[in-house]
Amino acid sequence: MAQDNSSRVTEFILLGLSDTRELQLLFFTLFLLAYAVVLLGNLLIIVTVRTDPKLSSPMYFLLCNLSFIDICYTSVTVPKVLVALLSGHKAIAFEGCMAQLFFLHFVGSSEMFLLTVMAFDRYTAICRPLHYTAIMARGACWALVTACWVGGFIHSIVQTVLTLQLPFCGPNTIHSYFCDVPPVILLACTDTTLTEWLMASNSGLISLGCFLVLVGSYVLILAKVRACLSQGHWKALSTCASHVMVVTLLFMPCIFTYLPPAGTLPTNKYICVIYTTFSPMMNPLIYTLRNSEVKESIWRLWKRCR
């Protein structure tokens, strides 16, 4: 049924993580520290990779792009959360909510595709080392990264359009700390069953599909390493272990959140913290503390800047 424009919701209320002031201050501190780690850690990786010629391999080119995506990803939600926790202002305009939803899925799905490309890079380096330079040439890397962004944009446009065509005329309280598809479409003044299944088949299957591709690549890598236990292969496997940690932190909560249609499972806003804040925070820690080449390059950068 068509809704009167005068009854259309103009803003949403984000309930956040807690109504208790003491917990709000605690969450503010934790989110602020996490955001600082994301910004400083990923900026350090970007500057280090861009300034050190020794980090010119495709793996570090992709890592640099991952750091940029992580900065964008956390910046979609965390600044708004910090303002809400500090000021108590929980309202967000309808247009702002839709924009947050769009950029969240745009950058988030681009990161999923990029992590899949990084797994392909590791598979090629370990399982097809003689062809690695030709397959992962700089032009091919740029093409793969561009495809990740284009795929993320198409995915996000579909999600946003499906949400915008719904009428919102009644409840405007979102049981989360940011605007996302599952909690928002539950507020629509119409039957959203078909929309929920379309969105689940979009976001959920993308998350599950990328995760299965990643798992498959790791299985092939493990099989190759067992057959050839050289030092170089073990070094590459160590890189894959770090990659597995990032993938698990990002994909498992996303699959749990987006694969079931909205309303079939309760949305756990604390699980959302894992893939919106904790996972991007872990990336710079994992890729610097477990990578001797990056640590050495950071040390050389520090000595040049002194």
Side-chain angles (χ1 to χ4, degrees), residues 40-301:
L40 297 177
N42 284 294
L43 282 174
L44 179 61
I45 289 177
I46 292 173
V47 172
T48 302
V49 172
R50 297 288 295 176
T51 57
D52 194 336
K54 294 184 178 181
L55 301 181
S56 59
S57 67
M59 180 181 73
Y60 294 113
F61 171 77
L62 297 175
L63 176 59
C64 186
N65 282 274
L66 178 64
S67 295
F68 175 73
I69 286 181
D70 279 336
I71 292 174
C72 297
Y73 190 45
T74 53
S75 297
V76 174
T77 58
V78 175
K80 174 64 179 174
V81 175
L82 293 175
V83 171
L85 289 171
L86 193 62
S87 65
H89 182 69
K90 300 181 178 181
I92 182 172
F94 180 86
E95 294 79 8
C97 183
M98 294 300 106
Q100 189 179 62
L101 186 151
F102 169 80
F103 285 107
L104 178 74
H105 283 267
F106 176 31
V107 183
S109 56
S110 298
E111 179 168 4
M112 289 186 179
F113 295 138
L114 182 61
L115 287 169
T116 307
V117 170
M118 292 178 71
F120 173 74
D121 171 74
R122 291 299 83 206
Y123 164 79
T124 307
I126 296 174
C127 298
R128 303 189 63 184
L130 298 179
H131 302 88
Y132 178 71
T133 304
I135 295 175
M136 297 301 294
R138 182 50 62 100
C141 290
W142 275 108
L144 289 170
V145 170
T146 302
C148 292
W149 284 104
V150 172
F153 179 79
I154 294 173
H155 159 75
S156 187
I157 281 290
V158 172
Q159 296 289 93
T160 307
V161 169
L162 287 173
T163 304
L164 284 173
Q165 56 87 29
L166 296 173
F168 296 94
C169 56
N172 67 337
T173 302
I174 297 177
H175 293 271
S176 185
Y177 60 92
F178 64 97
C179 288
D180 198 7
V181 171
V184 169
I185 64 176
L186 292 178
L187 304 179
C189 306
T190 186
D191 182 18
T192 60
T193 303
L194 178 60
T195 305
E196 290 174 21
W197 279 102
L198 289 173
M199 290 183 170
S201 63
N202 189 351
S203 294
L205 289 182
I206 285 178
S207 302
L208 181 61
C210 289
F211 181 71
L212 292 178
V213 171
L214 287 162
V215 171
S217 68
Y218 296 139
V219 170
L220 294 174
I221 289 172
L222 287 173
K224 178 67 175 181
V225 169
R226 287 187 60 185
C228 184
L229 301 179
S230 67
Q231 183 178 359
H233 282 84
W234 278 115
K235 181 180 177 181
L237 184 62
S238 176
T239 303
C240 290
S242 302
H243 198 178
V244 169
M245 295 174 65
V246 176
V247 165
T248 303
L249 287 173
L250 176 65
F251 280 89
M252 295 309 295
C254 287
I255 292 172
F256 176 82
T257 301
Y258 296 113
L259 189 58
T264 57
L265 289 176
T267 301
N268 192 322
K269 52 191 175 184
Y270 297 103
I271 290 180
C272 298
V273 175
I274 298 176
Y275 64 85
T276 59
T277 306
F278 188 70
S279 176
M281 181 186 69
M282 292 301 296
N283 282 350
L285 298 177
I286 289 173
Y287 284 108
T288 55
L289 297 179
R290 291 180 56 84
N291 191 309
S292 59
E293 291 180 337
V294 174
K295 287 190 291 186
E296 291 172 0
S297 296
I298 292 174
W299 178 244
R300 288 194 294 269
L301 178 64

